[in-house]
């Protein structure tokens, strides 16, 4: 069975990605940090789609925790490998730079940028040995154009975009692609505190996006049909760029 790991798969965009990949026939490893009830809901929905999966909680900002969880998973599944990795887990801690606390900078960089390195390094060798893999990073419009009040988040997402382009070139020969998807405003818990009525006026499509609209692009990038696309960043933002 083909296996996909989705970080932050319990809620929001990550959940929609789990369901999309399950519908494509993938066995889904659902990572999350603390919300076990929501992760179990996602797993039940994966099963309702006729697929299967498991929960694998770890903190994507904690290198030791990741190493332990993934090496134990590999020991239990020595005949298998994870062929699709979706680096999706992320947080926001917005503040203007002069007021930004150390933890607001550090937590956002650790969870959104260091997570890419922490998780991807553990899985790339297996993809290379099997000469097939898909790495898909969920970044953000903020990482492309920068967003006021989000120097931490914009820096982290821009960092992942640079890493996406570099890693894509390192491993393209071995049939492993690395791409990024950059959502604009998507309706999830992360954007619950935002004033949608006011913000949607700046969006040409005049609405926030749905998690499923991001997951559709992830599904395409995970498919064999996307074999010749690597090092790309695909925006899903209703026309909102500048
Ligand atoms: P969300 O609804 O807040 O869900 C976040 C998910 O990430 C949850 O599953 C959460 O797990 C998990 N998570 C957070 N910190 C983690 C950690 N340290 N270790 C492991 N898992 C962790 O967020 P979302 O809106 O779906 O965002 C998903 C991704 O899209 C993020 O990378 C975000 O930056 C990006 N994005 C979102 C938007 C948007 O408008 N929503 C726009 C651009 C980019 P728990 O359930 O355990 O807390």
């Amino acid at each position: 069975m083909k296996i996909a790991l989705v970080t932050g798969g319990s809620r929001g965009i990550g959940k929609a990605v789990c369901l999309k990949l399950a519908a494509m026939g993938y066995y889904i490893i659902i990572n999350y940090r603390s919300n076990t009830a929501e992760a179990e809901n996602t797993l039940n929905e994966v099963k309702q789609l006729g697929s299967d999966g498991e929960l694998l909680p770890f903190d994507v900002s904690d290198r030791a925790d990741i190493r332990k969880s993934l090496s134990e998973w590999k020991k239990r599944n020595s005949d298998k490998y994870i062929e699709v990795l979706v680096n999706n887990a992320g947080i926001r801690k917005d503040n203007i730079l002069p007021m930004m606390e150390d933890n607001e900078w550090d937590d956002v960089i650790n969870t959104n940028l260091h997570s890419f390195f922490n998780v991807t390094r553990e899985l790339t060798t297996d993809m290379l040995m099997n000469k097939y893999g898909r790495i898909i990073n969920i970044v953000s419009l903020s990482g492309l154009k920068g967003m006021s009040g989000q120097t931490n988040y914009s820096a982290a997402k821009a960092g992942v975009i640079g890493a996406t382009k570099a890693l894509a070139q390192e491993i393209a020969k071995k049939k492993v692609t690395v791409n990024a998807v950059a959502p604009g405003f998507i309706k999830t818990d992360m954007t619950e505190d935002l004033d949608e009525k006011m913000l949607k006026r700046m969006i040409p499509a005049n609405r926030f996006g749905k998690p499923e609209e991001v997951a559709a692009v992830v599904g395409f990038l995970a498919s064999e049909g996307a074999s010749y696309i690597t090092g790309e960043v695909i925006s899903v933002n209703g026309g909102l760029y500048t």
Side-chain angles (χ1 to χ4, degrees):
M1 189 175 244
K2 299 187 301 175
I3 302 171
L5 166 63
V6 182
T7 69
S10 52
R11 295 182 285 119
I13 293 170
K15 175 178 183 172
V17 168
C18 288
L19 300 182
K20 177 70 193 173
L21 295 176
M24 289 166 64
Y26 276 94
Y27 177 94
I28 311 292
I29 304 174
I30 302 166
N31 160 259
Y32 63 102
R33 183 180 41 187
S34 54
N35 199 331
T36 306
E38 288 298 330
E40 276 170 353
N41 281 340
T42 304
L43 181 56
N44 284 335
E45 291 184 41
V46 161
K47 289 180 179 169
Q48 281 162 24
L49 289 166
S51 191
D52 202 359
E54 65 187 278
L55 306 187
L56 193 66
F58 55 75
D59 179 345
V60 294
S61 68
D62 182 339
R63 203 167 285 157
D65 190 17
I66 294 165
R67 277 223 139 146
K68 185 169 174 291
S69 298
L70 288 176
S71 65
E72 284 172 3
W73 185 90
K74 286 186 204 181
K75 265 187 214 144
R76 291 195 301 274
N77 297 278
S78 54
D79 55 332
K80 303 189 180 92
Y81 87 104
I82 295 169
E83 74 168 45
V84 174
L85 165 63
V86 183
N87 284 309
N88 163 79
I91 56 167
R92 269 177 53 208
K93 289 195 176 178
D94 300 351
N95 207 342
I96 54 168
L97 188 91
M99 306 295 289
M100 192 171 282
E101 304 281 346
D102 288 354
N103 77 297
E104 290 171 335
W105 179 268
D106 294 341
D107 292 353
V108 168
I109 297 291
N110 285 333
T111 305
N112 296 289
L113 174 59
H114 292 168
S115 58
F116 161 81
F117 173 69
N118 296 342
V119 180
T120 308
R121 185 178 57 174
E122 300 303 315
L123 303 182
T124 313
T125 306
D126 285 344
M127 293 183 191
L128 296 177
M129 278 170 47
N130 284 281
K131 294 199 176 59
Y132 187 87
R134 296 279 186 265
I135 298 168
I136 300 156
N137 302 316
I138 307 300
V139 292
S140 171
L141 177 64
S142 307
L144 288 167
K145 74 178 278 277
M147 200 80 89
S148 167
Q150 290 195 323
T151 51
N152 50 359
Y153 186 80
S154 302
K157 296 297 191 181
V160 175
I161 289 170
T164 300
K165 293 179 179 181
L167 183 61
Q169 293 174 59
E170 273 179 34
I171 61 181
K173 253 191 203 152
K174 300 280 188 189
K175 301 192 170 96
V176 182
T177 65
V178 190
N179 290 291
V181 177
F185 290 104
I186 307 296
K187 250 177 133 60
T188 67
D189 295 345
M190 187 182 271
T191 50
E192 219 175 32
D193 60 327
L194 303 182
D195 184 347
E196 184 178 347
K197 250 190 190 157
M198 197 260 290
L199 288 168
K200 75 177 188 182
R201 287 193 222 129
M202 341 184 285
I203 305 171
N206 199 36
R207 64 174 176 86
F208 277 19
K210 296 182 230 155
E212 294 74 20
E213 292 172 312
V214 181
V217 178
V218 175
F220 170 62
L221 290 171
S223 73
E224 290 213 39
S227 302
Y228 204 52
I229 301 174
T230 196
E232 276 302 317
V233 184
I234 301 183
S235 290
V236 182
N237 60 25
L240 176 70
Y241 186 72
T242 48

